[in-house]
Amino acid sequence: MDKYNQIDRHRKSNASHSTFLASTQSDKARLIYSAAFRRLQQKAQVFSLESNSAVRSRLTHSIEVSHIGRYIIASISEQISASNLTNEIKKYWLDNNLAMSNIVETACLMHDIGNPPFGHFGEAAISQWARSDDAINCLCIATNTDKKKVELTALDDFKYFDGNPQGFRIITKLQGEDGFYGLNLTYTQLAAFIKYTHSPMSKVQQKTSAPFSKKIGFFDTEIDVIKAAWAKLNMPEHSRHPLGFLMEASDDISYCISDIEDGIEKGIIQESQFKKDMLIGIQSLQKSDDPHPIYQKLIESLNPDPDTAIGPFLNFKTYLSNYLVSAVAKKFIDNYQKFITFDIQEEIISKNSTEHKLLSLLKDYTGKYLFTSSEAERMELSGFSIISGILEEYKPLLSLNKKKFIYLVINHFDGIKNNELHIHRRLFNRLPQKHLNAYKTAIIDKSIPELKQTLLSEKGIKNKEEQIEYLANHFQDYLNNTFKEHFDKIDLYKEWNLRTHLIIDFVSGMTDQFSMEFFQMLKGINVK
């Protein structure tokens, strides 16, 4: 895997990381010190607005997934020495074990970073809004286009909205200080993050279902970044990085059993009932045409000796996790050449495998007993209404034409007053500065540091103290003027798409608690 030992980034880094290991450690630090990562502590894994801190948030879930990721890498490193792979490959893994572990761990830590409030129901609220007459009407009014002639492709990013592409947008655009490059992670790290390898445009263009296209993995607004990564890493377009398979497997192994554990913690699932149903399910698998020895071990794990230190559930969880990790590592090694030549076109925990059957058993159980519980369903209904309600309140911004919207962006007092944009201004002022910077720089097609350097070069200012003073006094006007120049030229539909991303970036970045409070404020339910 030498050709994946790449430390290049979309923007040349100011940090002096000259080694593979140092670059992967830097990537991890950039993530864990980011605000988007911290917000995961107030986003639900299953139960939103949960007061019981023993129940998982997206943050604690992501930490557990990262542990499984490191565990898989450790298992690969242990098994690879006894494999039939070449000595060169074995040496590569020995030399780069920690760097590989960092990449998978970081991918696992950020795999849910794009999830909106209330998880899948937040995603559904956004995608359903994008397919609604309300969204189409906003687009028609903003572009002054008849409904029969309007270019609906401007809505595609949002019709296919999902936490995966939003996560890629966060790490490549919205985090960081420059408004353009995000966390500026290595191309290797970005590629390892991608589970689904198509954007809305390429997904729509497919005549048949391509591998890894069940969902979209990135929006059309970020397609330049992932194409640059594929090119730099010598990967075919729309292919998945070998280490991305391990991140996906880590999540699958972790969340199935953890969701059940949370259900037991909350009293929604009874451990005795879980044990009974698992025994029936595993015995059924045991009688099938896949008589794997793990089935008997799991049955025994659910009936531990009376004097054992741990109970049936934890015993079962430990046996199952250990088996799944070892099985994933073995499959990765057994198919190593196919993985690194991009010939694998299905998940590493593939359908009809023993591992998939066991995880399906758990997923069926959670679908039957956990996600249909009254508490979970009530919260999902509330979450859907909250996100839909916030989008409803932001229709006025999405219905403005370009000429009026720019008054809000540059805070043009007379333009706002004369066009009666007072409510619009207050809605606009709630948007985070980082997201506004991303909107502006996307239209200008330059980062804020690059714009500052251009201004200083134009003025010929070289003294550092003079540069700082000049930027403090003049940069905002320069930014607004540059923005207006590019804004006037940009296509109506492209601007509207970027503006809608600005709103969706704000909404999807909210925590569960903040989205509820923000919704109540907008509706006048709670004015404080």
Side-chain angles (χ1 to χ4, degrees):
M1 283 180 56
D2 279 326
K3 60 184 176 182
Y4 307 120
N5 187 354
Q6 299 284 354
I7 62 175
D8 297 272
R9 304 175 188 272
H10 207 49
R11 170 182 61 77
K12 186 176 180 180
S13 179
N14 294 326
S16 56
H17 299 128
S18 59
T19 67
F20 187 26
L21 177 58
S23 295
T24 63
Q25 290 175 165
S26 176
D27 281 347
K28 181 180 175 183
R30 293 171 192 225
L31 172 71
I32 64 175
Y33 289 110
S34 69
F37 181 69
R38 293 194 296 275
R39 287 192 193 101
L40 292 175
Q41 65 188 308
Q42 289 191 21
K43 291 192 176 188
Q45 173 63 11
V46 177
F47 300 100
S48 296
L49 307 175
E50 177 57 51
S51 58
N52 182 350
S53 57
V55 174
R56 290 166 177 81
S57 66
R58 287 284 174 187
L59 180 63
T60 49
H61 162 69
S62 297
I63 292 170
E64 292 180 349
V65 174
S66 74
H67 164 258
I68 297 293
R70 292 191 75 95
Y71 190 4
I72 290 173
I73 291 293
S75 185
I76 290 172
S77 298
E78 288 177 357
Q79 294 185 40
I80 206 167
S81 60
S83 72
N84 294 323
L85 295 175
T86 65
N87 289 333
E88 183 182 4
I89 293 173
K90 292 177 182 179
K91 184 178 185 305
Y92 180 84
W93 274 82
L94 178 65
D95 293 343
N96 296 287
N97 174 276
L98 184 53
M100 300 287 215
S101 189
N102 283 339
I103 293 168
V104 174
E105 180 184 16
T106 303
C108 291
L109 286 171
M110 64 185 179
H111 82 282
D112 274 347
I113 204 167
N115 280 37
F118 305 101
H120 295 307
F121 274 74
E123 292 173 333
I126 293 170
S127 61
Q128 185 167 308
W129 169 82
R131 297 169 190 272
S132 70
D133 286 339
D134 276 351
I136 295 171
N137 289 337
C138 286
L139 176 59
C140 290
I141 295 168
T143 58
N144 192 28
T145 310
D146 184 84
K147 202 169 185 178
K148 294 179 180 179
K149 297 180 180 179
V150 71
E151 295 181 20
L152 294 177
T153 52
L155 278 162
D156 282 351
D157 279 351
F158 316 106
K159 288 178 182 177
Y160 293 99
F161 181 86
D162 183 79
N164 291 288
Q166 185 64 23
F168 192 73
R169 180 169 169 81
I170 286 170
I171 61 177
T172 59
K173 293 283 178 69
L174 303 182
Q175 287 298 300
E177 301 297 327
D178 62 12
F180 202 69
Y181 295 103
L183 296 175
N184 197 35
L185 303 177
T186 59
Y187 283 135
T188 302
Q189 189 64 67
L190 294 180
F193 174 81
I194 295 290
K195 282 203 304 185
Y196 305 106
T197 61
H198 287 268
S199 71
M201 184 186 299
S202 63
K203 183 176 174 69
V204 169
Q205 289 172 347
Q206 293 177 82
K207 294 182 179 179
T208 57
S209 181
F212 317 121
S213 63
K214 181 176 71 172
K215 298 180 180 180
I216 62 169
F218 46 92
F219 297 121
D220 290 319
T221 47
E222 283 71 59
I223 198 166
D224 60 320
V225 183
I226 191 59
K227 280 191 172 184
W230 285 329
K232 179 61 71 171
L233 299 172
N234 297 313
M235 294 173 61
E237 289 193 357
H238 308 296
S239 63
R240 186 190 277 190
H241 193 281
L243 298 182
F245 289 89
L246 304 183
M247 176 269 287
E248 179 184 47
S250 302
D251 185 29
D252 287 343
I253 293 169
S254 180
Y255 82 83
C256 288
I257 195 71
S258 297
D259 288 352
I260 293 169
E261 191 169 21
D262 283 347
I264 293 173
E265 173 68 27
K266 288 182 63 63
I268 294 171
I269 293 173
Q270 300 301 314
E271 187 173 357
S272 58
Q273 185 63 48
F274 170 78
K275 173 182 173 180
K276 180 180 177 182
D277 286 4
M278 281 301 106
L279 285 171
I280 293 171
I282 295 170
Q283 286 167 352
S284 177
L285 291 176
Q286 199 175 29
K287 293 175 183 177
S288 68
D289 57 358
D290 176 29
H292 198 286
I294 186 59
Y295 297 142
Q296 186 58 38
K297 289 184 179 295
L298 290 173
I299 290 171
E300 292 171 2
S301 75
L302 286 163
N303 292 289
D305 294 333
D307 60 347
T308 191
I310 57 177
F313 179 83
L314 185 55
N315 206 32
F316 172 82
K317 174 184 175 181
T318 303
Y319 268 91
L320 179 60
S321 298
N322 288 343
Y323 163 72
L324 292 172
V325 166
S326 181
V328 166
K330 185 178 186 303
K331 185 168 184 178
F332 187 79
I333 293 171
D334 289 346
N335 297 274
Y336 190 83
Q337 291 301 330
K338 288 185 177 181
F339 276 109
I340 66 170
T341 54
F342 313 105
D343 290 332
I344 299 290
Q345 299 188 348
E346 61 181 1
E347 294 76 9
I348 199 167
I349 299 179
S350 56
K351 288 183 179 180
N352 299 319
S353 66
T354 300
E355 301 80 59
H356 190 272
K357 291 174 184 177
L358 286 168
L359 290 178
S360 294
L361 192 64
L362 294 173
K363 290 177 184 177
D364 290 345
Y365 186 85
T366 56
K368 184 177 180 180
Y369 293 106
L370 186 64
F371 298 120
T372 56
S373 67
S374 176
E375 181 174 348
E377 288 188 338
R378 288 200 311 269
M379 194 57 67
E380 288 166 347
L381 288 171
S382 296
F384 188 89
S385 295
I386 287 170
I387 302 305
S388 298
I390 294 173
L391 292 172
E392 170 74 19
E393 293 298 317
Y394 267 84
K395 278 182 359 185
L397 291 190
L398 295 173
S399 299
L400 288 177
N401 61 34
K402 272 180 64 181
K403 183 178 179 180
K404 291 181 180 179
F405 187 68
I406 196 173
Y407 293 142
L408 300 174
V409 180
I410 64 175
N411 195 25
H412 190 284
F413 179 80
D414 288 339
I416 292 170
K417 180 181 178 181
N418 295 336
N419 289 279
E420 298 183 345
L421 302 179
H422 308 296
I423 295 299
H424 301 74
R425 177 172 65 83
R426 285 160 176 78
L427 288 168
F428 183 85
N429 286 344
R430 307 281 72 78
L431 302 174
Q433 188 60 50
K434 279 188 177 182
H435 296 353
L436 289 170
N437 287 343
Y439 168 78
K440 292 177 183 178
T441 56
I443 287 174
I444 299 171
D445 199 29
K446 274 188 179 181
S447 71
I448 288 176
E450 288 169 334
L451 288 168
K452 288 180 177 179
Q453 190 57 50
T454 300
L455 175 59
L456 293 173
S457 296
E458 289 176 358
K459 299 300 178 181
I461 303 172
K462 297 182 179 180
N463 179 274
K464 186 175 181 179
E465 291 182 359
E466 291 178 0
Q467 288 179 341
I468 294 171
E469 182 179 358
Y470 188 84
L471 290 173
N473 293 326
H474 300 283
F475 179 70
Q476 194 58 49
D477 288 340
Y478 175 78
L479 176 61
N480 283 343
N481 290 333
T482 306
F483 173 77
K484 283 189 287 185
E485 180 183 335
H486 286 80
F487 188 85
D488 290 341
K489 299 174 183 176
I490 194 171
D491 176 78
L492 286 172
Y493 290 98
K494 183 175 181 181
E495 186 282 321
W496 191 87
N497 174 268
L498 292 172
R499 189 196 313 178
T500 308
H501 269 297
L502 171 60
I503 307 301
I504 299 299
D505 290 341
F506 175 45
V507 175
S508 65
M510 294 176 178
T511 63
D512 297 353
Q513 180 73 29
F514 179 80
S515 66
M516 180 185 71
E517 293 172 354
F518 190 75
F519 172 72
Q520 291 174 340
M521 182 274 292
L522 290 176
K523 294 294 185 181
I525 299 169
N526 187 348
V527 297
K528 290 186 178 181

